[in-house]
Amino acid sequence: MRCVIARFPFELTKSEVQEAMKGVKPEPITGESVIIGRRSYPVKQVGEVITRQDRRDFTAFEVTRALTRLGFTCRDAPAPTAPLSPLETASALLGPAAQD
């Protein structure tokens, strides 16, 4: 399938992407991710491997769109957790109440 990433055309197939990611250790996921095989990879890491371009040259959206069209499952960035209030922070630092 023809995909355009960072203004460059690529002919990609699902099996080629799977083969390219074999033996690649997934980095910690902080943004969008894609499931390839039984592993979850950051979308930017996959884009870098399959295009051989620097991650700054393309967007996560471009890679996500291409991988979705190839049939991979892509996930959005995890929702940020709400910051703890000062009371919750203090309670977490003190730990559970001691029982006599």
Side-chain angles (χ1 to χ4, degrees):
M1 175 176 296
R2 185 174 188 270
C3 304
V4 177
I5 301 173
R7 298 186 312 266
F8 291 100
F10 293 93
E11 284 293 332
L12 298 173
T13 64
K14 187 171 185 174
S15 60
E16 288 174 342
V17 173
Q18 290 170 327
E19 188 64 33
M21 296 308 294
K22 271 189 185 170
V24 176
K25 182 180 176 187
E27 296 173 358
I29 296 172
T30 58
E32 293 88 351
S33 63
V34 59
I35 299 172
I36 299 176
R38 294 180 297 201
R39 294 181 168 184
S40 291
Y41 293 90
V43 168
K44 288 278 211 165
Q45 181 184 13
V46 175
E48 185 176 49
V49 171
I50 63 176
T51 65
R52 296 185 184 104
Q53 295 180 1
D54 190 273
R55 294 175 192 204
R56 295 171 289 184
D57 294 339
F58 54 84
T59 65
F61 176 76
E62 291 174 303
V63 179
T64 301
R65 182 179 54 205
L67 293 173
T68 301
R69 287 177 55 204
L70 289 172
F72 291 102
T73 302
C74 296
R75 295 190 175 151
D76 290 333
T81 58
L84 296 177
S85 71
L87 178 63
E88 292 170 326
T89 302
S91 293
L93 290 172
L94 292 172
Q99 295 183 358
D100 294 326

